[in-house]
Amino acid sequence: MFSNRLFNILVPIISVLLGLISGAIIMLIFGYNPIAGFAALWNGAFGDAYFFGETIRQVTPYILSGLAVAFALRSGLLNIGVEGQVFMGWLASVWIGISFELPMILHLPLAILAAAIAGAFWGFIPGLLKAKLGVHEVIVTIMMNYIALYLSNSIVRNLLSDGADRTENVAATASLQSNWLAEMTFYSRIHYGFIVALLMALVMWFIINRTTTGFELRSVGFNQHASKYAGMNVSKNIILAMVISGAFAGLAGAMEGLGTFGFMSIKSGFTNIGFDGIAVALLGANTAFGVILAAFLFGILKIGALNMPTAAGVPTELVEIIIALIIFFVASSYMIRWVILRFKKEGK
Amino acid sequence: MLKSRFLMVLVFLLTFGVFLAACGSSGGEEETSGSSSDDSGSEESSGEENSDFSVAMVTDVGGVDDKSFNQSAWEGLQAFGEENGMSKGEGIDYAQSESDADYATNLNRLVRQDYNLIYGIGYLLQPAIAEVSEQYPDTNFALVDSVQEGDNVASIVFKEHQGSFLAGVAAANKTNTDKVGFIGGVDGSLINKFEAGFVAGVKSVNPEIEVEVEYAESFNDSQKGQAIASNMYSKDIDVIYHASGGTGNGVFAQAKDIKNSNPDEEVWVIGVDRDQHEEGQIGDSNVTLTSMVKRVDIAVQEVANQAMNGEFPGGEVLEFGLADDAISIARTNEEAMTEEIVSAVEEWKEKIVNGEVEVPSTREDLQTFLDSM
C-alpha cells in the first residue's frame, strides 16, 4: 500500500512534527511556554506584511541553494561546495552590477547570467577532478569553499573598492529590488528574485524529468557502471551535473547581491545559505517542488526565530537548539522510515 | 502511477489547507494584536510623563555576551533600567543578530513593538540604521561607533585614538624587546583609529620601537587571533594590543599558553573596550597589562536619559573621549602597571586633554604625525 512516493512525502512531514514537538518539550523543561514560543515564531514570520516580505526574502536564496544540492544529489554527487558557489555568484553579480552602465533590459540579465556562470565554473572544477581523476567531490568542494570566501574578500577589498569593507551599491539597472513590493510590505527587503527562484525550480523539474539529459543524469546517480554499460558518457554527466548545480548556487548568490543587499561586503565566515541548502534538499526529498516547500519551512524558522527572544522571552540559544532538532529529525528520516515499515508489518 | 499522483495532490491540498487555516487564525490574532497596539498607543498619548518610555538595542553578530562593546552597551541599558524601574522585556530589551542580513529585520521589529528609542550597536549596523530611520521618522535611533545623518538619529562615537595612544605609551614603557604588535579586527576606518593612535603613542615614547600591524578580517574568529598572536610572540614581540572583539579571545589564549609552559616568559596583552583583566588571569599571574576601556555603557545610559527627558540629541554627533572619562586606561593589574608606567600615561593624558598633542586618527594623519616628530 505504501508507495515510495508516499514515503517521500510522509517522512519529511513527520520529521518536522517530531522536531516541533521535541522543541516544545525542551521549552517546557526550561520553563518557557511553548505555545507562546511557537506563536512568537509564527508572528515573527507572518505577523504582518513586513515579516511576510522578509520571510520570502529569506526563502528565495534557500530555494536556489536547495535546488543546487538536490540536482547534484540526483546524479549521485554530494555538492558541499554550494556555499563557495554562492560566494562566486554573489561576487560576479555585484561586479557586473557596479561596473557597467547599461539599460536594465541588458544589465539585469547580464548580472544574473554572470552569477550563474561564476557558480557553474566553481562547480566545474570539482566536477572535472571527479570525472577525470576520481578525486572525491566532497573534499574538493569543501576546500573550494574556503578559496571562494577568501578570494572574494580580497577582491572586494582590493579591486571593487579602495580598501573599504564593502562595495558600492549596484546600479539601479542591475537591481532586483522593487519599490513597489517594498512599499506593499512596509519596506521589507523582498525582491523580484523570488520569481527567478520559482522559475529555476521549474527548470530543474523539466531537466530532470522531461529531457534525455535528465534521464542520463539520474541514471548515473542510480548506478554508474550500469549507465556506462548502457553506453552513456559517465564523465560528461558528472561534470554536467556539477556545472548545473553550481549555476543554481551562483544564482542564489545573485539573489543576495542584487536583491537583499545590493552590495557585497567582507565576510568573516560563511553565510550558511549553501550549508542550509543541504538540509533543504534532504527535507525536500531532492525534488523541485519539495525543495520549494522545504525552503519555505527554513525561511519561516530563520525569520520567525528572531522574534522568539523579544516576544516570548525564549533565549536565542534555545531557538537554535529547536531548529537543530528539526534538522536532526529530517536527517534521521531513515529511522522514521524504519518505524513506519515496522508498524506496517505488525499491522499485517 | 495514477493512484500515487492522486495521493500527492491530496497531500498538497492538505498541506495548503493547514497553511490557510493557520493564516486564518493568525488573521484573528492580528486583529487582537492590532487592538492591543492601539491600547499601547493610547497609553502613550495619555502617559506623556514618560511613564512608558521604552528603549531597545540591536547587537551586531558578536552577540550580547561578547565580553566587549555589545555587552557593555547592554550593561548601560540595564543600569538605565534599574534607575527607572525597568527590566528586560519591560521597558528595555535587546535583539541579537545571527548574520548581517538580520540587522534590518531586527530594527524593524523593534520599531513595530513601539520602542521609543532604538540603539544600533556597532558600525556594521550603519547601512541598516540609514534605511530604517528614513522609513520611520517618528522613532528615535542611536548609532554607536559610526555616524548617520538624520533628525531622528543620534550618532555616538568615541575618541578611541586617544585611548589607544595611551595604550601605546604603556606598551612602549613595558616592552623589553622593543617590538610591539597590534591586531585589528576588520580593516576599516574605525579600527584604523585604534591603529593610528596606538602607533603614535608607541613612537612618541621611543621612535626606535617596531610596531607590527596585522588584521584578522574578523571580529569573532578567536582561532585566527590565536594564530596571529602565536606568530607575533615567536618573533620576539612581547606586548600585543588587540582591537578585534571576540577575535581577541584567541590572543589571550595564546599569551596564557606561553605563560603556562614558561612562567618566566614576559608576554602581555592590552585589552579593548571593557577591562579585560579577567580574560588574562592564569594562576597567580595575569597577562593583561591594561585595557583601553571605552565606556559604551555610560554613553548609552546618557543618551537614554536625555531621550526620556525629551531632549533626544537627534541629528547630532556625540563624541566621547578622555575628557568625559568615557575613554580610560585600566589599572587593575597593579603588578604590571608600575608607578613609572602609570605616571607616563598620566603625563600624556594631560597633554592630550590640554590639546598639546593632537592624536592622529587615520593612517594619513599618522604619517604626518610621525614625519613631524
Side-chain angles (χ1 to χ4, degrees):
Chain A
M1 232 352 235
F2 277 105
S3 68
N4 231 350
R5 190 166 269 193
L6 182 63
F7 254 153
N8 284 346
I9 296 164
L10 257 182
V11 169
I13 292 176
I14 294 177
S15 327
V16 172
L17 285 179
L18 279 176
L20 290 176
I21 291 169
S22 38
I25 293 172
I26 287 192
M27 279 195 262
L28 269 179
I29 292 174
F30 286 93
Y32 300 101
N33 181 352
I35 297 174
F38 283 129
L41 181 80
W42 182 262
N43 287 332
F46 295 108
D48 65 25
Y50 174 80
F51 295 115
F52 184 69
E54 282 292 301
T55 303
I56 299 287
R57 194 264 304 158
Q58 184 76 48
V59 166
T60 307
Y62 277 161
I63 292 180
L64 287 162
S65 65
L67 287 178
V69 177
F71 196 92
L73 273 176
R74 274 298 186 84
S75 319
L77 298 163
L78 187 49
N79 183 4
I80 308 277
V82 172
E83 188 70 42
Q85 291 144 16
V86 166
F87 269 91
M88 297 319 282
W90 189 336
L91 183 71
S93 66
V94 170
W95 203 330
I96 298 289
I98 59 175
S99 31
F100 289 103
E101 276 181 38
L102 291 169
M104 189 166 196
I105 196 154
L106 286 175
H107 203 176
L108 183 57
L110 186 68
I112 293 177
L113 193 69
I117 291 172
F121 173 68
W122 220 244
F124 171 74
I125 298 171
L128 187 73
L129 289 173
K130 165 91 177 178
K132 299 294 178 200
L133 299 172
V135 186
H136 203 285
E137 76 276 8
V138 168
I139 298 170
V140 181
T141 48
I142 288 178
M143 293 306 147
M144 296 283 284
N145 284 344
Y146 286 98
I147 300 176
L149 171 63
Y150 294 114
L151 185 67
S152 56
N153 275 357
S154 165
I155 290 179
V156 166
R157 165 127 18 238
N158 299 315
L159 280 175
L160 300 184
S161 71
D162 282 333
D165 55 7
R166 52 164 281 196
T167 67
E168 292 165 43
N169 285 339
V170 297
T173 48
S175 172
L176 282 166
Q177 283 161 0
S178 123
N179 280 332
W180 176 71
L181 280 176
E183 266 166 34
M184 216 168 62
T185 56
F186 304 117
Y187 303 108
S188 79
R189 286 172 293 168
I190 184 173
H191 52 83
Y192 286 126
F194 191 61
I195 300 165
V196 177
L198 290 181
L199 215 63
M200 285 303 131
L202 198 68
V203 168
M204 153 144 178
W205 171 83
F206 186 79
I207 295 180
I208 288 281
N209 293 323
R210 287 287 178 274
T211 64
T212 327
T213 320
F215 178 78
E216 284 194 13
L217 288 171
R218 273 186 296 157
S219 157
V220 170
F222 283 129
N223 189 333
Q224 282 195 13
H225 304 292
S227 311
K228 196 173 177 189
Y229 190 70
M232 296 174 193
N233 185 342
V234 174
S235 301
K236 192 197 91 184
N237 278 307
I238 287 177
I239 297 177
L240 187 66
M242 284 304 285
V243 164
I244 297 178
S245 169
F248 282 139
L251 287 176
M255 297 303 109
E256 297 294 271
L258 304 176
T260 307
F261 289 95
F263 58 85
M264 184 159 193
S265 55
I266 301 272
K267 301 278 175 194
S268 54
F270 292 121
T271 60
N272 281 337
I273 293 170
F275 296 130
D276 288 339
I278 298 171
V280 168
L282 288 177
L283 182 58
N286 296 332
T287 60
F289 192 77
V291 163
I292 297 181
L293 288 183
F296 261 98
L297 179 77
F298 266 73
I300 292 165
L301 287 177
K302 283 270 165 175
I303 298 295
L306 290 171
N307 194 36
M308 286 171 80
T310 46
V314 184
T316 329
E317 289 81 2
L318 213 51
V319 175
E320 298 277 311
I321 292 175
I322 294 166
I323 292 183
L325 273 174
I326 294 176
I327 301 174
F328 169 79
F329 280 107
V330 173
S332 56
S333 60
Y334 175 77
M335 198 168 72
I336 297 163
R337 204 173 278 254
W338 183 77
V339 171
I340 295 177
L341 278 176
R342 193 72 199 239
F343 271 103
K344 204 182 94 185
K345 272 185 194 150
E346 274 174 19
K348 275 179 184 170
Chain B
M1 191 67 190
L2 209 107
K3 196 166 190 181
S4 57
R5 193 164 288 177
F6 168 72
L7 268 175
M8 199 158 79
V9 170
L10 191 76
V11 170
F12 290 158
L13 283 179
L14 280 175
T15 328
F16 271 105
V18 170
F19 257 91
L20 288 178
C23 280
S25 74
S26 100
E29 269 172 47
E30 221 176 295
E31 260 170 50
T32 54
S33 73
S35 64
S36 73
S37 78
D38 278 352
D39 284 350
S40 69
S42 59
E43 266 170 43
E44 232 172 88
S45 51
S46 65
E48 288 285 56
E49 301 85 47
N50 304 319
S51 59
D52 48 27
F53 180 79
S54 57
V55 202
M57 59 175 251
V58 177
T59 73
D60 72 2
V61 284
V64 82
D65 49 2
D66 65 348
K67 298 177 179 163
S68 190
F69 69 97
N70 283 308
Q71 186 168 346
S72 182
W74 177 235
E75 283 165 3
L77 269 196
Q78 280 173 315
F80 170 77
E82 223 159 85
E83 270 175 28
N84 299 289
M86 300 169 179
S87 61
K88 181 176 182 303
E90 283 164 38
I92 55 170
D93 209 342
Y94 65 84
Q96 295 207 71
S97 308
E98 303 295 326
S99 82
D100 49 3
D102 295 341
Y103 299 148
T105 325
N106 275 332
L107 288 169
N108 258 290
R109 176 174 26 262
L110 295 173
V111 171
R112 262 135 223 287
Q113 290 171 354
D114 288 327
Y115 282 95
N116 305 69
L117 171 62
I118 299 167
Y119 285 93
I121 311 298
Y123 76 95
L124 293 171
L125 273 88
Q126 188 262 333
I129 289 264
E131 204 179 297
V132 178
S133 63
E134 206 172 291
Q135 289 155 3
Y136 297 97
D138 295 336
T139 305
N140 287 332
F141 298 89
L143 179 59
V144 175
D145 267 0
S146 186
V147 175
Q148 174 58 39
E149 285 171 21
D151 289 340
N152 57 335
V153 188
S155 307
I156 300 171
V157 292
F158 293 85
K159 295 177 183 163
E160 294 97 348
H161 47 296
Q162 297 183 342
S164 300
F165 186 94
L166 297 183
V169 170
N173 276 296
K174 193 73 196 173
T175 179
N176 294 322
T177 56
D178 280 359
K179 282 182 185 168
V180 299
F182 172 84
I183 299 180
V186 175
D187 200 350
S189 59
L190 176 72
I191 303 300
N192 289 350
K193 262 163 98 177
F194 291 79
E195 180 197 326
F198 181 70
V199 176
V202 172
K203 300 278 186 190
S204 305
V205 174
N206 179 0
E208 299 298 311
I209 297 178
E210 278 177 47
V211 187
E212 180 160 329
V213 175
E214 287 264 9
Y215 281 84
E217 294 297 1
S218 169
F219 287 110
N220 48 11
D221 188 347
S222 58
Q223 279 181 358
K224 191 127 185 225
Q226 182 153 12
I228 298 176
S230 155
N231 187 12
M232 283 185 170
Y233 284 132
S234 68
K235 284 196 276 190
D236 268 355
I237 286 171
D238 58 352
V239 186
I240 296 180
Y241 174 42
H242 91 87
S244 58
T247 302
N249 294 338
V251 181
F252 283 104
Q254 182 60 26
K256 286 195 282 188
D257 269 2
I258 293 174
K259 201 83 178 167
N260 212 4
S261 52
N262 180 8
D264 297 330
E265 187 110 22
E266 291 257 317
V267 287
W268 302 105
V269 184
I270 300 180
V272 78
D273 294 346
R274 289 168 78 249
D275 184 358
Q276 296 194 302
H277 189 71
E278 287 167 33
E279 317 306 320
Q281 195 69 42
I282 171 161
D284 292 333
S285 53
N286 196 310
V287 296
T288 308
L289 172 62
T290 174
S291 299
M292 200 286 281
V293 182
K294 175 170 146 187
R295 299 296 300 273
V296 180
D297 52 341
I298 291 186
V300 162
Q301 204 178 342
E302 190 174 319
V303 173
N305 269 319
Q306 288 177 352
M308 193 175 71
N309 300 328
E311 296 157 1
F312 178 71
E316 288 175 34
V317 177
L318 309 165
E319 262 201 307
F320 292 84
L322 282 175
D324 317 288
D325 281 328
I327 294 277
S328 63
I329 287 292
R331 282 174 207 158
T332 336
N333 195 345
E334 284 168 6
E335 214 177 302
M337 288 287 274
T338 54
E339 274 307 302
E340 199 188 331
I341 300 179
V342 170
S343 58
V345 167
E346 278 303 317
E347 192 184 311
W348 283 101
K349 180 183 172 183
E350 207 58 24
K351 285 187 192 169
I352 295 171
V353 174
N354 290 342
E356 235 176 277
V357 176
E358 188 70 38
V359 181
S361 59
T362 63
R363 282 180 186 157
E364 287 81 48
D365 289 357
L366 174 66
Q367 205 48 51
T368 28
F369 181 87
L370 293 179
D371 290 344
S372 69
M373 256 172 30

